[in-house]
Amino acid sequence: QVQLVESGGGLVQAGGSLRLSCAASGSIFSINSMDWYRQGPGKQRERVAGITYDGRTNYANSAKGRFTISRDNAKNTGYLQMNSLKPEDTAVYYCNADLWVTTTSLRNYWGQGTQVTVSS
């Protein structure tokens, strides 16, 4: 069974850092692209960062200069390094990825979400 497993969330003080991981497990060939989303209390889910198949990255304005998305193709894992965290970054963070489950089949998956809480 293919799934995305997230880890790395937690409670941190404002100004601190966390690194989220998103590992693709099961029978897959590779990750094509990956995005990180978040949903804060009472807010809509928003896209935070993305990385393409060839490593190009893009960020929401709220994340630029503080968050870094990366990937380790050998481990089929993506990361979101979050620095200078603010209370408004508090949210459930989700990874979303297009995975090559066969050499010709590309499918989209969501992780289960990981809670990030930033205290002031």
Side-chain angles (χ1 to χ4, degrees):
Q1 181 181 357
V2 176
Q3 57 182 339
L4 296 176
V5 180
E6 301 172 16
S7 60
L11 173 64
V12 64
Q13 289 188 331
S17 298
L18 284 174
R19 188 175 83 152
L20 306 182
S21 299
C22 177
S25 66
S27 180
I28 71 166
F29 280 86
S30 65
I31 297 174
N32 185 59
S33 61
M34 180 178 286
D35 298 286
W36 286 92
Y37 290 77
R38 68 185 181 186
Q39 187 165 15
K43 299 180 180 179
Q44 289 189 330
R45 189 173 296 191
E46 64 171 345
R47 185 172 171 277
V48 175
I51 186 165
T52 64
Y53 70 98
D54 57 354
R56 287 173 290 143
T57 60
N58 53 84
Y59 300 90
N61 287 335
S62 58
K64 285 179 181 177
R66 299 187 301 126
F67 294 3
T68 302
I69 188 171
S70 62
R71 58 192 288 172
D72 184 332
N73 292 333
K75 296 181 178 180
N76 283 329
T77 300
Y79 305 95
L80 185 68
Q81 176 69 41
M82 305 186 294
N83 299 328
S84 302
L85 283 162
K86 305 174 183 180
E88 51 264 43
D89 294 318
T90 295
V92 178
Y93 284 71
Y94 300 90
C95 63
N96 177 266
D98 286 332
L99 306 180
W100 288 106
V101 295
T102 69
T103 55
T104 57
S105 179
L106 189 64
R107 295 184 183 176
N108 185 264
Y109 293 85
W110 284 91
Q112 81 283 2
T114 186
Q115 176 70 46
V116 171
T117 303
V118 184
S119 63
S120 58

